[in-house]
Amino acid sequence: MSKTSPYTSAFTACSFLYAEFNAVLPLLRSDNADVLLKEEVVNRNYLKVNNETSANRILHEFRRRYKSVPQDFWDWYDSLEEAAQKAALLYVIIKTYKLIFDFHVHVAIKKWNSVDHTITTEDLQLELLDVSANDEFVDSWSDQTKKKLMSAYLTILRQADILDSKSNELRPLRLMPHEYKYYVECGDAWFLDACLLTSMERENIINYYKTI
């Protein structure tokens, strides 16, 4: 079942981990990446986890995220300030995991465009029910796994600064125009909607790049 499903629950292994990902990124970008990552599993200089199994799972997901975008993305990523880097990492995670994409597009964006801007596990449960109804692999997941998935997604939103930690209210990621450049130029302007920008803000940014 898992072989034909586009879904995975593996992102629960590492959630967002912005600082840790940035610390490991030079290893991922190295020509000697395989060796360096194996050494990190053993030595755990950057990943402060208790055992090699956990480190291996985290690094596997870091590599999956790293490979989900072209190499030039990471050159651009290195040039960004922290807030824009967190937004960029959110973009990478949304592109890497279909369930995160579904949660974000079908739940978070819809909630933002409604009167109620709070997002809860109940909102995510409804989306999981829809996904489960059409995917046997997802339907086979235990309730505990599904709870972990929903919790991990909410943690990702909080650490990306798009969800208030206390109120669980969504809030837009408003960056400088040049910090949206990659998404517009590569044809992923949908990420401006994912940042919860207004239609006017979105059009202004897109038009900005048409005029330069």
Side-chain angles (χ1 to χ4, degrees), residues 80-159:
L80 301 174
E81 299 295 332
E82 181 174 324
Q85 277 194 344
K86 286 183 175 181
L89 187 53
L90 177 63
Y91 164 79
V92 169
I93 290 172
I94 291 173
K95 284 183 70 72
T96 305
Y97 306 103
K98 180 162 173 51
L99 187 60
I100 296 289
F101 178 89
D102 288 354
F103 278 159
H104 206 70
V105 172
H106 301 153
V107 182
I109 293 177
K110 283 188 177 180
K111 291 286 284 188
W112 179 250
N113 290 326
S114 71
V115 176
D116 181 12
H117 291 170
T118 60
I119 185 169
T120 66
T121 53
E122 287 75 16
D123 298 316
L124 300 176
Q125 280 176 335
L126 293 174
E127 178 61 22
L128 262 179
L129 283 172
D130 285 344
V131 174
S132 297
N134 295 289
D135 191 290
E136 292 183 18
F137 180 54
V138 175
D139 192 47
S140 73
W141 292 344
S142 67
D143 288 342
Q144 183 178 11
T145 295
K146 291 176 181 178
K147 285 179 181 178
K148 287 181 179 179
L149 291 165
M150 293 184 289
S151 176
Y153 173 67
L154 292 175
T155 297
I156 287 167
L157 294 191
R158 292 185 189 105
Q159 294 183 355

